[in-house]
Amino acid sequence: MAFERPLTIKEVVNDIHRKKYLLPSIQREFVWKTDQIQTLFDSLLRGYPVGAFLFWYIEKENINKFKFYEFLREFHERDNTHNSEANISGEEDILAILDGQQRLTSLFIGLKGSYAFKLPRKRVDNDAAYPKRELYLNLLKKSEEYDMVYDFQFLSKEDLKNAGTDDFWFKVGDILDLPESFEINDYIYENELNLLEKDKAKFANRTLHRLHKAIHETACINYYQEKSQELDKVLNIFIRVNSGGTQLSYSDLLLSIATAQWKVRDARKTITSFVDEINNVGDGFDFNKDLVLKTCLVLCDFSDIAFKVDNFDSNAMSKIEEEWDDISESIKLAVQLMANFGYNSKTLTANYVIIPIAYYLYKKGNPHNFVESYRFNSERADMKKFTTIALLKRVFGGQPDNVLKPLREIMKNNLDDFPYQRIKQDLRVTNKSLKFTEEEIEDLLWMKYGNRYAFSVLSLLYPNLDYKNNFHQDHIFPRSLLKSRSKLRKAGLSEKTINYCMENHDYIGNLQLIEGVPNQEKSNKRFKEWLELICPNENEKKEYRIRHFIPEVDLDLDNFQEFMEEREVSIREKLSKVLL
């Protein structure tokens, strides 16, 4: 391969717009963030090289052997992250991008598209949390970022409305409407930028001319063109050239091979939409294509479950496609169980924990109404215990394949009921076990509020809660009070007691699980007052104390240390009973 005639950015962006360039199914999806796009445009204006590109020329008689996708133009972090499949019927030869998709998509979005990302502290389901943003260049100021010269920003209409008078934001895509360099001067005069103080006027003029030169004149897109029609060779090239940058995961590559080999379904569309579906179960999860493809290997009983190209040959792909309905149903059931156990993306600390559960359900034929029916109460209880303890013991850390394979072997021979006890007894992997020691139980008491494992510890204390309801981790003695030295002093506590309160208020000993609405009502009330409010008689107080491991001690603020020490004794006893 040799370099072809280099192209200008305008040429390439217009050809992407005309769908002259497409993305082969072996490409990953767009993953760059706005700061990466802004840095790319800054590099262009500074005359920095933007790297070589690799295009794949595909003859028209071969284009139906593969699937192709269009470039993303209007990126939306929630609603539009997947590339649309290209209609190639009746097409002549095609140019597909093997290396440079992230950069080319960034140029396309910056010049002809938009990028919508979520505003902080806004709900995911709020459409207003994702304003449409287009790329702008400040013509009056340099960037305040230490590694940037030019101030590129993705701005919404609201951002522009609130812009300061010291800024002049030029929409970067408008440079395409100024093909001649003299039109830059016309723009400067029409917007009276020449009337500004000398330094600002010169900076605006030079910046706009640099942008024009970078987009219209400089042939900076240097590319090779691969003309081989052999998939194996192209895949090998693709893996090599994608070994840097935003790392290509094996799942991207394997999913691409599946797309080329599945006969009935579009594997990429099927699996990516399935990932979106399971991530929307309950309070939301963070599963990915890696997990789904790994689960396929495990459930289909392939001996080697590693992410290797050799493990995804045509026979394997055929079996996965044939079994997809049952595989996807098993995964979905396992995810629904996780949600019913109270887990979500913040508390499910190892996504691979669902694979053994999915395998069991798959081998049992995905029993009807498994998630809800009382007939499966015992199995669900054992699955919950397995999930919680496997997460706390971090058994899927490191090299999870070494755990998944022996777990699968145990499952194969124990399908009458979910074999939690058998797993606990027989799982023998180096440094991996479901068995706890007393020292490890003691360590659980040092879990803090906000720690991703804290929910798992608390769920062992509350095994009978209906987690389909929304439960909060609540500070029994209010956090807002215990972390404030001034408030504690005002309450008349000694410095020694104050120090203890401030150092220990976030530990498990001061946490309970209560439903969301009562937690909001409790707010910052002192616990003794709250208990009187919700438990007006002694029997109710006694039941509450038992349910939440509240010791029979004075519940005034100055007795927080004794409360913690006594409650930790009860929690330790409960955890020992469950785990030892």
Side-chain angles (χ1 to χ4, degrees), residues 66-83:
F66 313 102
K67 290 190 185 295
F68 298 92
Y69 295 84
E70 297 178 6
F71 278 79
L72 268 176
R73 176 169 173 165
E74 309 292 338
F75 182 87
H76 192 290
E77 194 176 58
R78 183 191 67 186
D79 297 336
N80 192 37
T81 62
H82 304 317
N83 301 78

Side-chain angles (χ1 to χ4, degrees), residues 167-366:
D167 298 316
F168 186 95
W169 292 104
F170 176 79
K171 185 179 173 183
V172 174
D174 287 348
I175 200 68
L176 296 173
D177 298 326
L178 305 174
E180 302 295 337
S181 59
F182 70 81
E183 292 177 292
I184 301 298
N185 294 326
D186 292 345
Y187 183 90
I188 294 289
Y189 281 103
E190 287 168 6
N191 289 276
E192 299 183 345
L193 296 176
N194 58 307
L195 301 180
L196 298 172
E197 57 187 81
K198 184 178 179 180
D199 286 345
K200 287 187 176 181
K202 286 173 65 176
F203 181 78
N205 187 284
R206 290 174 179 173
T207 299
L208 207 50
H209 272 92
R210 280 182 174 272
L211 179 63
H212 182 275
K213 181 179 179 181
I215 303 303
H216 288 276
E217 300 174 20
T218 305
C220 62
I221 305 296
N222 296 287
Y223 70 98
Y224 298 98
Q225 186 165 287
E226 173 58 46
K227 295 184 178 180
S228 173
Q229 305 300 296
E230 298 176 21
L231 179 60
D232 287 343
K233 179 181 178 182
V234 172
L235 286 177
N236 190 39
I237 293 170
F238 183 71
I239 294 169
R240 294 286 183 89
V241 299
N242 280 279
S243 60
T246 302
Q247 186 65 40
L248 173 72
S249 72
Y250 265 111
S251 64
D252 289 303
L253 177 59
L254 299 177
L255 187 55
S256 304
I257 296 172
T259 299
Q261 294 182 357
W262 277 19
K263 306 300 182 187
V264 179
R265 295 179 171 93
D266 180 325
R268 175 167 169 154
K269 185 184 296 182
T270 298
I271 293 179
T272 52
S273 62
F274 178 69
V275 170
D276 290 342
E277 179 185 353
I278 59 177
N279 278 338
N280 284 321
V281 172
D283 287 336
F285 291 93
D286 190 24
F287 300 115
N288 56 26
K289 298 185 292 285
D290 296 57
L291 175 97
V292 174
L293 287 171
K294 177 71 72 175
T295 307
C296 290
L297 292 175
V298 175
L299 270 56
C300 288
D301 281 325
F302 296 131
S303 57
D304 191 346
I305 59 174
F307 279 142
K308 295 191 297 190
V309 175
D310 292 345
N311 289 342
F312 286 81
D313 58 18
S314 58
N315 291 330
M317 288 300 185
S318 176
K319 182 171 185 181
I320 291 172
E321 183 179 20
E322 183 181 332
E323 296 292 320
W324 173 250
D325 287 338
D326 290 334
I327 290 172
S328 59
E329 180 63 19
S330 300
I331 297 172
K332 197 185 306 180
L333 286 175
V335 174
Q336 289 170 353
L337 284 168
M338 293 302 112
N340 278 17
F341 297 162
Y343 285 100
N344 54 40
S345 61
K346 295 179 181 178
T347 53
L348 194 70
T349 51
N351 287 340
Y352 274 22
V353 74
I354 76 164
I355 297 180
I357 292 174
Y359 183 84
Y360 175 82
L361 294 167
Y362 176 76
K363 289 299 181 181
K364 294 269 284 191
N366 296 323

Side-chain angles (χ1 to χ4, degrees), residues 80-109:
N80 192 37
T81 62
H82 304 317
N83 301 78
S84 302
E85 185 177 344
N87 182 357
I88 56 173
S89 58
E91 288 288 340
E92 294 297 316
D93 302 342
I94 281 176
L95 275 176
I97 307 303
L98 287 183
D99 185 40
Q101 179 221 348
Q102 304 295 325
R103 287 168 288 162
L104 292 179
T105 302
S106 296
L107 293 172
F108 191 46
I109 287 174

Side-chain angles (χ1 to χ4, degrees), residues 42-56:
D42 179 71
S43 297
L44 290 171
L45 264 64
R46 295 163 76 175
Y48 291 176
V50 293
F53 298 78
L54 178 59
F55 298 170
W56 179 22

